[in-house]
């Protein structure tokens, strides 16, 4: 087969590396057609598509940056609102604690005032009961002493004035003897 190829090349009579003129003209014409089609029609379309894609990508990047900046701003605003809400909640808790302490103090003061009033009322009642008991005791002692004196003396001490003087004198003697014992 090699021999056949070398034989064919010898018959053509020229250098197999140099093309024929008509092939060279057709090749140059085809190259120029392809060059014109690619250079004038396809290259602007490709450039236009590349520019659009570049703008779309840059626009997308810008939109993403804008969205990220907006998200950062919203996050900061949210954190600020959260901090403010926490501060407000802390302030409200402190106010409630203060109000609770104030109400507690007021209730304690009212309870102490009520206790003082009850103690004073009890003292007053005790003093009144004591005075009443003392008056009843004095009357009973007077009646008993009059009856006893009447039995001892043998005469009736029914006279009201005489009875009162005797009772008063007996009670004075009784008080002076109890004061001397103290």
């Amino acid at each position: 087969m090699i021999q056949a190829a070398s034989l064919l090349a010898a018959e053509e009579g020229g250098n197999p590396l140099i093309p024929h003129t008509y092939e060279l003209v057709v090749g140059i014409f085809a190259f120029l057609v392809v060059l014109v089609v690619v250079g004038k029609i396809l290259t602007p379309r490709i450039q236009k598509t590349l520019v659009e894609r570049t703008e779309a990508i840059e626009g997308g990047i810008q939109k993403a940056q804008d969205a990220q900046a907006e998200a950062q701003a919203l996050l900061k605003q949210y954190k600020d609102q959260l901090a403010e809400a926490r501060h407000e909640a802390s302030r409200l808790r402190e106010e409630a604690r203060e109000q609770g302490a104030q109400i507690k103090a007021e209730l304690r003061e009212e309870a102490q005032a009520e206790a003082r009033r009850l103690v004073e009322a009890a003292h007053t009642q005790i003093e009144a009961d004591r005075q009443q008991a003392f008056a009843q005791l004095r009357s009973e002692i007077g009646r008993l002493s009059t009856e006893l004196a009447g039995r001892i003396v043998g005469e009736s001490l029914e006279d009201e004035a005489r009875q009162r003087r005797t009772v008063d004198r007996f009670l004075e003697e009784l008080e002076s003897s109890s004061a001397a014992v103290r």
Side-chain angles (χ1 to χ4, degrees):
M1 201 167 58
I2 298 180
Q3 286 179 354
S6 53
L7 222 137
L8 187 61
E11 284 177 10
E12 289 182 5
N15 188 357
L17 293 178
I18 297 178
H20 294 287
T21 313
Y22 71 90
E23 286 179 351
L24 196 58
V25 170
V26 170
I28 290 173
F29 179 72
F31 178 74
L32 289 175
V33 168
V34 170
L35 185 65
V36 167
V37 168
V38 169
K40 297 289 182 184
I41 296 171
L42 291 178
T43 302
R45 287 184 183 173
I46 291 172
Q47 287 295 330
K48 181 181 175 187
T49 304
L50 288 175
V51 167
E52 287 174 356
R53 284 187 180 177
T54 303
E55 288 175 358
I57 290 171
E58 288 175 356
I61 290 172
Q62 184 62 37
K63 285 179 184 177
Q65 288 174 347
D66 292 344
Q68 187 176 12
E70 184 179 344
Q72 290 293 333
L74 287 174
L75 180 63
K76 183 182 181 305
Q77 181 182 4
Y78 169 74
K79 285 181 179 180
D80 290 346
Q81 287 176 349
L82 185 62
E84 184 178 325
R86 285 181 179 158
H87 178 70
E88 183 69 18
S90 174
R91 185 184 63 78
L92 290 175
R93 275 194 307 270
E94 187 61 32
E95 283 180 9
R97 193 174 297 124
E98 289 173 2
Q99 287 177 352
Q102 183 180 6
I103 290 171
K104 194 178 198 183
E106 288 173 1
L107 289 175
R108 184 179 298 125
E109 189 175 305
E110 288 176 13
Q112 288 175 349
E114 181 68 18
R116 282 191 299 270
R117 187 187 64 77
L118 288 175
V119 167
E120 289 173 4
H123 283 306
T124 305
Q125 182 65 36
I126 289 171
E127 184 62 29
D129 289 346
R130 188 171 116 352
Q131 291 294 331
Q132 183 181 5
F134 188 69
Q136 285 178 349
L137 186 60
R138 186 176 187 122
S139 147
E140 186 66 24
I141 289 175
R143 187 185 62 78
L144 288 175
S145 63
T146 316
E147 188 177 310
L148 182 63
R151 286 186 186 172
I152 292 174
V153 172
E155 69 180 71
S156 174
L157 296 175
E158 295 293 325
D159 183 19
E160 181 80 24
R162 189 182 295 166
Q163 186 178 13
R164 188 173 305 268
R165 281 192 310 269
T166 306
V167 168
D168 287 338
R169 190 172 16 123
F170 177 72
L171 288 175
E172 285 174 8
E173 288 174 8
L174 185 63
E175 286 177 1
S176 64
S177 67
S178 69
V181 172
R182 289 185 196 173

